[in-house]
Amino acid sequence: MSRKVGTGVFSPRQLLTSLPDALRKLHPRHQLRNPVMFVVWAGSVLVTAFAAVEPSVFTVLIAVWLWFTVLFANLAEAVAEGRGKAQAESLRRTKKETVARRLTADGSEEEVPGAELRVGDLVVVEAGGVIPGDGDVVEGIATVDESAITGESAPAIRESGGDRSAVTGGTTVLSDRIVVKITTRPGESFVDRMIALVEGASRQKTPNEIALTILLSTLTIIFLLAVVALQPMAAYSGSEQSVVVLTALLVCLIPTTIGALLSAIGIAGMDRLVQRNVLATSGRAVEAAGDVSTLLLDKTGTITFGNRKATELIPVGESTVDELAAVARLSSLADGTPEGRSIVELTGSAEPTEAERLAEFVPFTAQTRMSGLNLGDREIRKGAAGAVRAWVRERGGEMPDKTERIVEEVSQQGGTPLVVAECVNGRKAVVRGVIRLSDVVKPGMRERFEELRSMGIRTVMITGDNPLTAKAIAADAGVDDYLAEAKPEDKMALIHREQEGGRLVAMTGDGTNDAPALAASDVGVAMNTGTSAAKEAGNMVDLDSDPTKLIEIVGIGKQLLITRGALTTFSVANDLAKYFAILPAMFLAIYPQLGGLNIMGLATPASAILSAVIFNALVIVALIPLALRGVRYRPSSAAALLRRNLLIYGVGGVLTPFAGIWLIDQLVRLIPGIG
């Protein structure tokens, strides 16, 4: 069970501990970043000046509550940032200064401080040693304790030659010996970047956040002009209003609620991801996750368990099982992938001879889709049926019809067939048989894809398997579509096709060959166990390396957008109630008919204005828990979400201030000079 890095649910104690940071944010330089709250800050300064020159109970109380409004807005942001700082402190404790055993050019070792390591250095780490920096395992296999980073108590296996080669500085090797190639400079490690991100130092406003800030600034300017225009009208009517009253009116009418909570909502969205052990390198990625309409899911490890193992050897032609086993073993001796090792285990784990060690290894590539070795006058290959068929034909041979039938049967049953062929002394190549690799769809995947479908999200399974295997597994899992025999360029082409239709695309990946597609996706989630290239290319890293978490990430992104929309709706709606509280009170002396609009029965113009200002400040504090926790998200259509938002937060935003202002007025009217 993995530990959640976040601080958990909101508690009132967080308000108290974040108060010093909120007070520091009263500096005008900080307030300038938020145009709406800067107007409130400027109004507070102005009213404070009037309270100092011509003190009265009403003026002093208005000044105090205007400052509280600014302070509460700062408090919302400080609480959100405080969670990040707590996480950062936890991460700092995981950093350890280490002495690295660096390999020199002649193969000897030298001990150097971890801070002196550079990109490309090779270091040796043995059981009990701490990995000195982020890198990739280039030699060996070992179990690694990553609990300091992921919270997972079970050790992880890191090995060379696959997609589980990345290691993180500060983690501990528990067994065996590995050689690590350093991929980051000191101070730029994964933990360093995590610290900067969870503290909020690297957080930039997202496009949607910038657009909403511009909208709020525009509304503020409109209300400012409207309030300024009221004074000539009031003077003409013989009831000129004081600057204090006009300032109070402006603060209550501009969207202070959402202006105060906007930054906290964005920070809290990233915090919710960190609580699920996902590191987002930008708030934009979190937002994009909420708008995703296409999910590209790698089959292996995401939809299926991913531990494909050789489970059966099926000979063809005149070959026997023993002959096929011997050739299959040779084809996999130098294959460092889990599949290759499982073939060696199935065929007999005898140590390679000296001659076999000197054989020429032919590595697997996405283009050839084959691997094998050349041993003296023997050429041996294993791989996809189409690729091996072409190789056999180049060497004068033909693939037997029985082989084609076996390949089709294995594929239809959801397995992966690997055809094994051999060419000796340049004679006709001979197909020896088929290796069955078996994989299993994870339980509950069909239900999760149904849930995504109800959210309007299309799922596409990506696999390097042949179309028949891909079709069988896609049908079993319940995905909407699949891409078989996918090469890196095929993934890129699919992403671009989806994006051309205006859709946002998300995908997961862990290998170097996934890096281009991760970079091209709007949301690219790299696995922590994957290669450094994949982690650099993505804009999120899943510390638990659970590819199905992409579904949770989409839900968190949608929750962020819904929370921002809901609180914006509430903020704009509750201005209506404050309008009914303040405007009739301002002009009641001249136009007694406005008394009909005093539906709350507020005591006096002074109590009405003060009550509205107090409510305007207190509602910010009341909504901080909701901004940090987020509005609960239920999978549904956009139209249903809009109706729910308008019903709960639109109507609620209108009714709540009427009740709140009335209650506050019952207390305020008791103050001498107000009631």
Side-chain angles (χ1 to χ4, degrees), residues 586-622:
M586 288 175 61
F587 296 102
L588 189 61
I590 310 171
Y591 304 108
Q593 300 90 332
L594 290 176
L597 294 178
N598 186 16
I599 57 179
M600 288 177 277
L602 304 179
T604 64
S607 75
I609 294 168
L610 181 58
S611 298
V613 171
I614 294 173
F615 175 83
N616 193 59
L618 293 180
V619 75
I620 294 172
V621 179

Side-chain angles (χ1 to χ4, degrees), residues 228-360:
V228 170
L230 279 176
Q231 188 68 313
M233 294 172 56
Y236 177 78
S237 303
S239 181
E240 188 171 338
Q241 300 296 319
S242 68
V243 173
V244 174
V245 170
L246 291 174
T247 302
L249 173 64
L250 174 62
V251 169
C252 288
L253 293 187
I254 63 177
T256 50
T257 306
I258 184 61
L261 299 173
L262 187 57
S263 180
I265 293 170
I267 295 171
M270 296 184 73
D271 176 71
R272 282 192 289 276
L273 276 180
V274 174
Q275 289 179 32
R276 287 162 178 81
N277 273 3
V278 177
L279 172 65
T281 58
S282 72
R284 181 172 187 168
V286 186
E287 261 188 11
D291 281 331
V292 159
S293 53
T294 303
L295 285 187
L296 307 185
L297 300 160
D298 189 45
K299 184 206 76 172
T300 307
T302 304
I303 295 173
T304 64
F305 280 105
N307 298 321
R308 293 190 305 176
K309 289 190 175 182
T311 55
E312 186 181 5
L313 299 174
I314 310 170
V316 297
E318 298 178 358
S319 300
T320 65
V321 173
D322 289 340
E323 287 173 338
L324 172 58
V327 175
R329 172 182 167 276
L330 287 173
S331 71
S332 305
L333 279 178
D335 186 349
T337 64
E339 292 89 350
R341 285 194 291 271
S342 75
I343 294 171
V344 174
E345 290 173 8
L346 181 67
T347 58
S349 55
E351 286 294 316
T353 64
E354 189 63 31
E356 289 171 347
R357 286 194 182 94
L358 297 176
E360 178 190 354

Side-chain angles (χ1 to χ4, degrees), residues 100-112 117 120-124 139 177 179-180:
R101 293 163 55 188
R102 184 168 61 188
L103 289 176
T104 60
D106 60 4
S108 61
E109 297 180 11
E110 61 176 354
E111 292 192 350
V112 297
L117 291 175
D121 284 350
L122 296 176
V123 296
V124 176
E139 182 184 318
R177 174 187 184 275
V179 177
V180 177

Side-chain angles (χ1 to χ4, degrees), residues 431-449:
V431 175
R432 293 297 186 185
V434 178
I435 304 170
R436 181 197 296 267
L437 298 179
S438 299
D439 207 348
V440 181
V441 173
K442 292 179 178 179
M445 292 307 296
R446 180 176 286 275
E447 291 74 14
R448 300 196 82 172
F449 292 141

Side-chain angles (χ1 to χ4, degrees), residues 2-6 87 91 149-150 190 194 197-198 268-282 285-286 289 508 523-528 539-554 556:
S2 111
R3 161 184 62 83
K4 300 305 178 195
V5 183
Q87 295 155 10
L91 288 169
I149 305 297
T150 66
F190 186 62
M194 281 184 69
L197 287 162
V198 298
M270 296 184 73
D271 176 71
R272 282 192 289 276
L273 276 180
V274 174
Q275 289 179 32
R276 287 162 178 81
N277 273 3
V278 177
L279 172 65
T281 58
S282 72
V286 186
T508 61
V523 180
V525 183
M527 302 296 101
N528 189 42
N539 48 26
M540 291 188 188
V541 177
D542 177 19
L543 302 181
D544 294 331
S545 298
D546 175 10
T548 59
K549 201 179 287 184
L550 180 58
I551 299 170
E552 287 184 55
I553 291 170
V554 169
I556 292 170

Side-chain angles (χ1 to χ4, degrees), residues 23-328:
L23 291 170
R24 280 192 288 271
K25 290 177 183 290
L26 288 174
H27 194 285
R29 192 186 315 148
H30 178 84
Q31 296 301 317
L32 275 169
R33 300 175 190 171
N34 188 332
V36 176
M37 297 314 301
F38 178 72
V39 169
V40 180
W41 180 88
S44 304
V45 173
L46 184 62
V47 174
T48 301
F50 275 93
V53 175
E54 298 178 10
S56 68
V57 174
F58 175 74
T59 305
V60 170
L61 287 175
I62 291 291
V64 168
W65 281 101
L66 287 181
W67 280 115
F68 273 136
T69 304
V70 181
L71 182 64
F72 293 159
N74 292 346
L75 195 60
E77 187 177 53
V79 169
E81 289 178 352
R83 291 180 165 198
K85 289 176 180 177
Q87 295 155 10
E89 283 304 312
S90 175
L91 288 169
R92 280 195 180 93
R93 288 194 290 270
T94 69
K95 293 189 66 177
K96 301 175 182 177
E97 292 299 325
T98 58
V99 175
R101 293 163 55 188
R102 184 168 61 188
L103 289 176
T104 60
D106 60 4
S108 61
E109 297 180 11
E110 61 176 354
E111 292 192 350
V112 297
E116 293 183 10
L117 291 175
R118 295 294 177 263
V119 175
D121 284 350
L122 296 176
V123 296
V124 176
V125 190
E126 294 181 336
V130 176
I131 297 172
D134 293 0
D136 290 322
V137 178
V138 294
E139 182 184 318
I141 179 171
T143 53
V144 180
D145 178 7
E146 297 183 338
S147 58
I149 305 297
T150 66
E152 179 60 60
S153 57
I157 295 177
R158 294 292 173 262
E159 56 190 327
S160 62
D163 291 338
R164 293 180 175 270
S165 61
V167 290
T168 306
T171 55
T172 305
V173 172
L174 299 178
S175 70
D176 303 292
R177 174 187 184 275
I178 53 176
V179 177
V180 177
K181 184 177 182 179
I182 300 299
T183 57
T184 59
R185 291 187 290 270
E188 296 180 9
S189 70
F190 186 62
V191 172
D192 290 317
R193 282 185 289 145
M194 281 184 69
I195 290 170
L197 287 162
V198 298
E199 277 187 323
S202 300
R203 198 188 92 88
Q204 296 179 335
K205 286 188 177 181
T206 64
N208 283 353
E209 200 172 339
I210 292 171
L212 186 55
T213 300
I214 293 171
L215 173 63
L216 298 180
S217 301
T218 303
L219 289 174
T220 300
I221 293 170
I222 291 171
F223 281 121
L224 177 61
L225 294 175
V227 169
V228 170
L230 279 176
Q231 188 68 313
M233 294 172 56
Y236 177 78
S237 303
S239 181
E240 188 171 338
Q241 300 296 319
S242 68
V243 173
V244 174
V245 170
L246 291 174
T247 302
L249 173 64
L250 174 62
V251 169
C252 288
L253 293 187
I254 63 177
T256 50
T257 306
I258 184 61
L261 299 173
L262 187 57
S263 180
I265 293 170
I267 295 171
M270 296 184 73
D271 176 71
R272 282 192 289 276
L273 276 180
V274 174
Q275 289 179 32
R276 287 162 178 81
N277 273 3
V278 177
L279 172 65
T281 58
S282 72
R284 181 172 187 168
V286 186
E287 261 188 11
D291 281 331
V292 159
S293 53
T294 303
L295 285 187
L296 307 185
L297 300 160
D298 189 45
K299 184 206 76 172
T300 307
T302 304
I303 295 173
T304 64
F305 280 105
N307 298 321
R308 293 190 305 176
K309 289 190 175 182
T311 55
E312 186 181 5
L313 299 174
I314 310 170
V316 297
E318 298 178 358
S319 300
T320 65
V321 173
D322 289 340
E323 287 173 338
L324 172 58
V327 175

